């Protein structure tokens, strides 16, 4: 396979005694684009490792991230793979997650690269966020307007969603619940070619997305963060109606399933 070939190339290019980093980089960059893609695929950890990694402390894609920083050529190869799997949960590093959302709105090519999203709409702000020390405002007025336009493009009724506003550190605690939902909804809306979504909520329903918003989505998982309550099917109708190709619906104690199967004929599991 291309990944196996890339692995062999890496071992060939990095002998026990490397003459210099420049020699190594020159050898690596002499490879054709399809083999550089294989190198990036080899450096990226398996999906199972990403899912189980304590990502709030360090990105499991750190090797791929460092490779992307070496030069423009490798950055262009690695960036789409860095965006393949994204997790949005405002318990940690709110400034970084806002930066990712900002990038996705500015770079449609990277937004199309997103294939798997975990979005947690249930947020109880931790002390790390309440003591946020990043730049102020956290979300600028320009960011808020851009994010709201992105939501309007995908959501049928914006009155069901709390719009973004300029957000400063002093306002964090007062708007934590609305902020968590809005970030989760926006992260989903910004990924037109996503294939898998895991949505966490706390007694919350997804808004109704416009038909055809997620043509590539095949797997959708919904979980309620209250472990004593199962996920309610009605809470996810708004997304399923916009994703006609979903074949697998995953839920922890999924309740109130519809009697009619014709509404969602694609769901086989």
């Amino acid at each position: 396979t291309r990944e196996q070939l890339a692995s062999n190339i890496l071992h060939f290019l990095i002998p026990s005694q490397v003459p210099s980093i420049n020699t190594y980089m020159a050898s690596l960059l002499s490879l054709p684009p399809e083999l550089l893609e294989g190198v990036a695929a080899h450096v990226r950890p398996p999906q199972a490792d990403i899912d189980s990694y304590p990502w709030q402390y360090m990105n499991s894609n750190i090797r791929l991230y460092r490779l992307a920083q070496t030069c423009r050529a490798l950055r262009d190869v690695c960036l789409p793979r860095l965006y393949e799997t994204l997790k949005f949960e405002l318990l940690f590093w709110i400034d970084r997650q806002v930066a990712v959302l900002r990038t996705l709105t500015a770079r449609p090519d990277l937004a199309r690269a997103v294939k798997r999203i975990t979005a947690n709409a249930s947020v109880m702000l931790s002390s790390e966020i309440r003591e946020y020390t990043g730049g102020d405002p956290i979300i600028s007025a320009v960011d808020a307007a851009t994010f709201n336009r992105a939501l309007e493009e995908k959501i049928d009724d914006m009155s069901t969603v709390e719009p973004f506003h300029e957000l400063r550190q002093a306002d964090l605690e007062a708007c934590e619940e609305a902020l968590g939902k809005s970030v989760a909804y926006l992260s989903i809306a910004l990924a037109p070619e996503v294939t898998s979504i895991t949505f966490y909520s706390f007694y919350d329903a997804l808004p109704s997305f416009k038909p055809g918003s997620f043509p590539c989505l095949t797997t959708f998982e919904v979980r309620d963060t209250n472990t004593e309550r199962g996920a309610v099917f009605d809470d996810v109708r708004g997304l399923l109606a916009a994703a006609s190709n979903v074949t697998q619906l995953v839920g922890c104690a999924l309740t109130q399933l519809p009697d009619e199967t014709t509404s969602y004929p694609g769901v086989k599991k």
Side-chain angles (χ1 to χ4, degrees), residues 3-4 25 33 42 57 62 68 80 82 85 88 91 102 121 124 129 140-141 147 151 173 176 178 191 200 207 218 266:
E3 287 75 14
Q4 290 172 329
M25 286 299 297
H42 179 74
Y57 301 108
I62 191 68
L82 281 169
T85 300
F88 290 89
L91 296 177
R102 191 181 296 123
M124 298 299 290
I129 287 187
S140 69
F147 294 166
L151 285 173
E173 187 172 354
E176 62 179 10
Y200 287 83
T218 58

Side-chain angles (χ1 to χ4, degrees), residues 89 119-124 176-178 180-181 184-185 199-206 222-232 235-236:
E89 185 175 30
N120 192 339
S122 61
V123 175
M124 298 299 290
E176 62 179 10
E177 183 177 353
K181 295 177 185 178
Y185 302 156
F199 177 71
Y200 287 83
S201 70
F202 186 73
Y203 297 98
D204 298 313
L206 278 160
V222 57
R223 293 186 179 274
D224 198 289
T225 51
N226 180 355
T227 57
E228 297 180 358
R229 174 181 183 266
V232 178
D235 291 351
V236 301

Side-chain angles (χ1 to χ4, degrees), residues 224-266:
D224 198 289
T225 51
N226 180 355
T227 57
E228 297 180 358
R229 174 181 183 266
V232 178
F233 184 83
D234 278 347
D235 291 351
V236 301
R237 286 181 183 270
L239 187 140
L240 285 178
S244 59
N245 293 316
V246 171
T247 58
Q248 182 169 274
L249 175 63
V250 182
C252 180
L254 194 62
T255 61
Q256 298 179 20
L257 288 170
D259 292 331
E260 73 281 4
T261 57
T262 55
S263 299
Y264 308 96

Side-chain angles (χ1 to χ4, degrees), residues 11 20 42 51 56 88 120 136 162 229-230 249 251 266:
H11 288 298
S20 71
H42 179 74
D51 292 342
Q56 64 267 37
F88 290 89
N120 192 339
D136 225 0
E162 180 69 27
R229 174 181 183 266
L249 175 63

Side-chain angles (χ1 to χ4, degrees), residues 28-46:
L28 182 60
L29 294 177
S30 67
L31 296 175
E34 60 270 19
L35 288 183
L36 288 178
E37 290 278 355
V39 169
H42 179 74
V43 171
R44 182 183 185 273

Side-chain angles (χ1 to χ4, degrees), residues 106-152:
R107 293 280 306 271
D109 57 320
L110 293 180
R112 288 191 298 271
V114 179
K115 303 304 178 188
R116 184 166 179 163
I117 287 179
T118 298
N120 192 339
S122 61
V123 175
M124 298 299 290
L125 291 184
S126 63
S127 59
E128 288 87 346
I129 287 187
R130 291 198 174 98
E131 297 171 2
Y132 174 81
T133 56
D136 225 0
I138 302 167
I139 297 176
S140 69
V142 173
D143 286 335
T146 301
F147 294 166
N148 287 332
R149 283 195 298 270
L151 285 173
E152 290 168 0

Side-chain angles (χ1 to χ4, degrees), residues 1 26 37 47 92 101 114 145 150 161 196 209 216 239 269:
T1 66
E37 290 278 355
Q47 185 63 48
F92 302 92
L101 293 173
V114 179
V161 177
S196 174
F209 289 86
C216 301
L239 187 140
K269 184 178 180 181

